[in-house]
Amino acid sequence: MGVRRRSGAVMAAVPVLALLLLLLAWGGPPAAGQKRKEMVLSEKVNQLMEWASKRSVIRMNGDKFRRLVKAPPRNYSVIVMFTALQPHRQCVVCKQADEEYQILANSWRYSSAFTNKIFFAMVDFDEGSDVFQMLNMNSAPTFINFPAKGKPKRGDTYELQVRGFAAEQLARWVADRTDVNIRVIRPPNYAGPLMLGLLLAVIGGLVYLRGSNLDFLYNKTGWAFAALCFVLAMTSGQMWNHIRGPPYAHKNPHTGQVNYIHGSSQAQFVAETHIVLLFNGGVTLGMVLLHEAATSDMDVGKRKIMCIAGIGLVVLFFSWLLSVFRSKYHGYPYSFLMS
């Protein structure tokens, strides 16, 4: 009987021990795992906050991207710009998009509503080509939102071709994907007011010096020349340069060759603007000489010289202008004198 009682007590103790082990299994390791998860998350957020305090757009390579963007845990969103900014990549659009992206990130970084809910990062192809391969990405620039939970969806890839890369458009997309509203603040541009002030100062000085004789204000030739200069500057692309800020020219780092004409119809260099301005001016001067040769009261000999000079200028500079057009619009079938 004593043996049976002891064996029964042992049998009764077995479920109790199993229950205790089960409770330890449920309450012990998961709690420790949760603590480790929170610790890793805290380290990641602190690291990102430290980098964001120094630079609004955090530059990432493959290791940083996998650890801070792809790997869990993560309770923050990361807007990543995939780009190719090195000069030898010749990505003019990447530079333009980067300037707008920096404006957006700075607007968020120095906003009173700044939190660790969202971060802005950048992966350059030459610093993280493995990331491009991992995401099967073959174009730049590209903007992707990596949400706090889950993987990026279709709407988390910014439609650059449809919306453009203006900071205001990017801010609307960020608000739509993350519920974070960013008020874009652009740095002040004093070039316009300075030029207007200089122009007013010149006009005021002329009026002051020649207050007794203002006939020059009614000079049609002077106003025509000023209007012509303005038209030539605008048609050659000076306003595009002011808005986009392209480089003056491009030097190939491998061959050392300097290109003054951009090979794409979607971009241009500052030097290209000056060249086109010169060619347009040459054609215009030739047309003016032809008009004067036909309408002036000069003797026949001078009018013939003006006519020949005008025809020569129009033919020569128009040929050069057409050759520039052909180099930018590949496949254009027509040429004149020069290919």
Side-chain angles (χ1 to χ4, degrees):
M1 292 295 291
V3 174
R4 290 181 179 179
R5 286 177 182 173
R6 281 195 294 271
S7 62
V10 171
M11 292 298 293
V14 170
V16 176
L17 290 173
L19 181 60
L20 288 174
L21 290 173
L22 189 60
L23 290 173
L24 288 173
W26 284 353
Q34 183 66 24
K35 281 188 177 181
R36 285 196 297 270
K37 182 179 178 181
E38 292 177 355
M39 186 179 299
V40 171
L41 180 60
S42 177
E43 290 177 356
K44 292 169 71 173
V45 172
N46 290 336
Q47 181 69 83
L48 288 170
M49 288 293 289
E50 180 183 351
W51 287 338
S53 65
K54 299 176 182 178
R55 180 179 292 179
S56 300
V57 177
I58 303 170
R59 298 186 72 97
M60 290 187 174
N61 54 21
D63 294 335
K64 292 179 181 178
F65 178 82
R66 282 185 286 270
R67 180 168 59 90
L68 299 170
V69 179
K70 291 288 290 183
R74 192 175 71 247
N75 64 351
Y76 51 84
S77 297
V78 185
I79 308 296
V80 183
M81 175 185 178
F82 298 91
T83 186
L85 293 174
Q86 296 301 318
H88 64 275
R89 298 296 175 188
Q90 300 185 23
C91 183
V92 179
V93 179
C94 292
K95 180 181 177 182
Q96 299 163 359
D98 176 63
E99 293 174 355
E100 294 295 312
Y101 189 57
Q102 295 287 344
I103 291 174
L104 175 64
N106 285 326
S107 299
W108 170 241
R109 174 64 187 86
Y110 297 105
S111 169
S112 59
F114 175 75
T115 64
N116 58 11
K117 186 177 179 180
I118 182 175
F119 295 97
F120 291 88
M122 173 194 300
V123 177
D124 192 282
F125 181 80
D126 292 280
E127 299 173 2
S129 58
D130 52 337
V131 179
F132 280 73
Q133 295 176 2
M134 178 175 59
L135 299 177
N136 294 322
M137 192 178 303
N138 54 15
S139 63
T142 300
F143 299 91
I144 299 179
N145 168 49
F146 292 86
K149 296 181 180 180
K151 297 181 179 180
K153 300 178 182 178
R154 182 176 181 181
D156 288 313
T157 299
Y158 182 72
E159 297 176 339
L160 183 66
Q161 301 297 331
V162 178
R163 299 189 179 188
F165 47 74
E168 290 78 8
Q169 294 290 347
L170 287 169
R172 295 189 187 98
W173 171 70
V174 170
D176 178 60
R177 305 311 303 174
T178 66
D179 294 328
V180 174
N181 293 295
I182 302 175
R183 180 172 173 266
V184 176
I185 301 175
R186 293 184 174 275
N189 186 355
Y190 300 105
L194 285 175
M195 291 301 296
L196 180 60
L198 179 62
L199 178 61
L200 293 176
V202 171
I203 295 175
L206 290 174
V207 172
Y208 176 78
L209 294 175
R210 304 188 60 177
S212 58
N213 184 10
L214 299 179
D215 292 340
F216 70 95
L217 293 176
Y218 302 98
N219 190 321
K220 294 181 180 181
T221 303
W223 285 109
F225 181 76
L228 183 60
C229 291
F230 179 79
V231 169
L232 291 176
M234 293 298 103
T235 55
S236 62
Q238 187 60 41
M239 185 56 66
W240 193 93
N241 292 341
H242 178 72
I243 296 173
R244 300 296 181 88
Y248 187 82
H250 176 262
K251 183 178 181 180
N252 191 313
H254 303 292
T255 63
Q257 181 181 1
V258 179
N259 295 323
Y260 298 102
I261 305 294
H262 198 284
S264 171
S265 61
Q266 304 299 319
Q268 68 181 18
F269 298 130
V270 175
E272 182 179 331
T273 304
H274 299 163
I275 293 172
V276 173
L277 174 62
L278 175 63
F279 291 171
N280 283 334
V283 174
T284 304
L285 179 59
M287 296 300 294
V288 170
L289 290 177
L290 288 173
H291 178 268
E292 290 296 319
T295 59
S296 67
D297 297 330
M298 299 180 182
D299 58 82
V300 177
K302 292 182 179 180
R303 292 169 64 182
K304 286 183 178 180
I305 294 175
M306 293 178 64
C307 183
I308 295 173
I311 293 175
L313 288 173
V314 171
V315 169
L316 180 63
F317 284 102
F318 179 76
S319 178
W320 278 338
L321 195 62
L322 190 59
S323 67
V324 172
F325 184 85
R326 281 171 52 85
S327 68
K328 296 180 70 66
Y329 290 84
H330 305 285
Y332 186 76
Y334 304 107
S335 63
F336 185 63
L337 293 185
M338 306 174 187
S339 58

